[in-house]
Amino acid sequence: MRSLKLGEDRFIIPFNNKYFVVNEYTKDLIETLNNSEDLQDFANKKNLDEQTAYNLVSKLDNEIDDCDYYEANISLPVPLKIQWKMTMRCNLRCKHCYLGELSQKCLSRNELLKIAKEINDFGVMEVTLTGGEVFTVDCIDEIIKYFYDNEIKMVVFTNALLAAPHKEFLQSLENKDLIKFIVSVDGTEKEHENIRGKGTYQKTLESIKMLTSIGYKVSVNMVLNKNNYKTLFDLVGQLNQVGVSNLQLSELIPMGNATKDLCMNDDDFKLLQEIFRKIHKEYKTSNIFYSAEDDGTENEIFLLTDDKLQSFGQEKWKCGAGLGKGTILYNGDVVCCPFMENYKLGNVLTTPLNKVWDSENRYKFLKMIAKDNNGHRKCIVLRRYQ
């Protein structure tokens, strides 16, 4: 298990898909738990009876998640999570792409490996590999293997059309849990291909099926627009057939190629909720996560799970840009948020990541976010376009 030492008897560790600051004893405890097949195995390794082990794990699970403590007391020397926009190359020209007109810009193999080493050497726990399209990067397998060998969790965001030639390499990696794939699918065949190009839909599903067949978890991301949201019910059925039950819905950001006429209106969002109910009634095995704008300051969270359609009320998620998350752009520039490149922190090819992260511009960014959000930490980029 990868960990980051903050100081004497203070470590950051991953636990239940989150990150926590703990002492060394707790770190050792969780490492033992993670490597144990069941509670009895865990108890034996720690020389505990099973009831004591159960009580210890329950207490740990209940008390470790104190968000206010972390936000108030933890100053990170480097971000826990990095989004790395590795390249501006892409094999598609999607109508809703916020990046606009892409180029063929990509760093050399040595430069890419230098950035990967910076990410590893300074304790980053998780990296999202995106672009452009990551599978246009010539040395992508080498980058993935480097992070894999250093136990850095990866999220690979891709259109998956170029994934097939990498099957043998991906299949050779034993711990499939270290890598999660998020594949873009924007409706059923007609609507998807209207956005991404003729012939792309079936090829994407074939790539998803390949990834799931060799043991990887695949989620699908769908960018909602006025023309594709009505296909959501049919799409869920088709995704289930290729082994995908997790679907996240993203709101369109009218930047780059995306125009405002693609944005959904209030009536569209009301109909979307009716489609949610229909999906829930028909497909009990599908998990759909969607965050809907409510009153301009808070988000309403909806989640379709196996047993019910839930509304969690007001969203408690807070944007981690500039706190625990950062973005490295295709040229090595580091920013807090990929939508706000004017707050550049430095370039990781010329300056160590920990020094870049300590840039004065990061603190200016955080002050701007606090002021513009009136104390909230939700996505101000989305709010500005709504």
Side-chain angles (χ1 to χ4, degrees), residues 308-345:
K308 57 185 173 179
L309 168 64
Q310 292 179 286
S311 169
F312 289 111
Q314 300 304 319
E315 181 178 6
K316 292 181 172 56
W317 174 87
K318 297 181 180 182
C319 174
L323 288 174
K325 298 179 183 179
T327 296
I328 300 177
L329 302 178
Y330 72 95
N331 59 358
D333 285 348
V334 181
V335 294
C336 297
C337 170
F339 299 104
M340 297 185 181
E341 295 183 16
N342 52 317
Y343 285 91
K344 176 182 170 181
L345 308 185

Side-chain angles (χ1 to χ4, degrees), residues 37-84:
E37 294 182 0
D38 54 36
L39 190 62
Q40 184 61 59
D41 182 34
F42 165 70
N44 291 339
K45 288 183 177 181
K46 300 303 289 185
N47 295 318
L48 302 170
D49 63 80
E50 189 168 354
Q51 184 60 50
T52 301
Y54 175 81
N55 293 340
L56 190 60
V57 172
S58 297
K59 181 180 179 182
L60 179 65
D61 201 21
N62 290 331
E63 294 184 354
I64 197 171
D65 193 0
D66 185 349
C67 295
D68 291 336
Y69 169 80
Y70 292 109
E71 184 162 328
N73 293 285
I74 302 303
S75 177
L76 300 175
V78 292
L80 289 179
K81 299 182 180 182
I82 282 286
Q83 179 189 53
W84 184 9

